[in-house]
Structure formats: structure tokens, C-alpha cells
Amino acid sequence: MLLRTLLGVELRRRRVAQKRTLLDVSGAARVSLGYLSEVERGRKEVSSECLAAICDALGVSLGSVLNAVALEVAAIESTI
């Protein structure tokens, strides 16, 4: 599985858990709605600056998102 896919899944999980829309988060992060949607679907690579802005818009730390993704990568690797 691609890292960008896992990152997108984690960002979407957190946004949905907060019951927020793509429009709301994209506006707060100052990224286009289409771009955020593509990031969440794992179709676009996200820069560190943009990822930080999305995390800030979600009110979560960049470290917590990256840690969750790292744990998922480790879980996948352990099955290989």
C-alpha cells in the first residue's frame, strides 16, 4: 500500500470523526476542495507544508497523524 493512500485514509478518518465536511476543512486549510479530496483518496502527494495546514485545520498535531500512519505501515509490514 502506498504511503500517500494511508495518509489520506488517516486524514479522512479524522475529518469524518469530527463530522466536518471537505469544504469546511479545505477552507480552513486554504487548499482547494478538489485537492483535499484527492489527498484523502491517496491520488495526490501532499507537501509537508500543506499537510501541516490540513492538520492545523483539523486541530490535530502533525506528529499524531504521522504516528498513526507509521503504526499502520508497521502492521502491514508485519504481515509480509
Side-chain angles (χ1 to χ4, degrees):
M1 181 164 284
L2 294 174
L3 185 58
R4 71 175 184 238
T5 302
L6 295 173
L7 187 54
V9 166
E10 182 62 20
L11 291 172
R12 177 177 286 167
R13 184 189 70 73
R14 290 177 184 241
R15 178 181 59 78
V16 169
Q18 294 178 14
K19 298 184 172 132
R20 294 178 65 191
T21 65
L22 279 168
L23 184 61
D24 174 39
V25 175
S26 67
R30 296 184 181 192
V31 299
S32 76
L33 184 145
Y35 180 74
L36 180 57
S37 175
E38 293 286 302
V39 167
E40 284 191 357
R41 287 185 280 152
R43 294 187 178 169
K44 292 280 185 187
E45 297 285 345
V46 63
S47 70
S48 57
E49 293 87 0
C50 187
L51 179 57
I54 294 167
C55 289
D56 188 52
L58 289 169
V60 299
S61 72
L62 176 59
S64 70
V65 170
L66 294 177
N67 187 54
V69 171
L71 291 172
E72 185 63 26
V73 168
I76 291 168
E77 288 179 338
S78 71
T79 65
I80 297 175

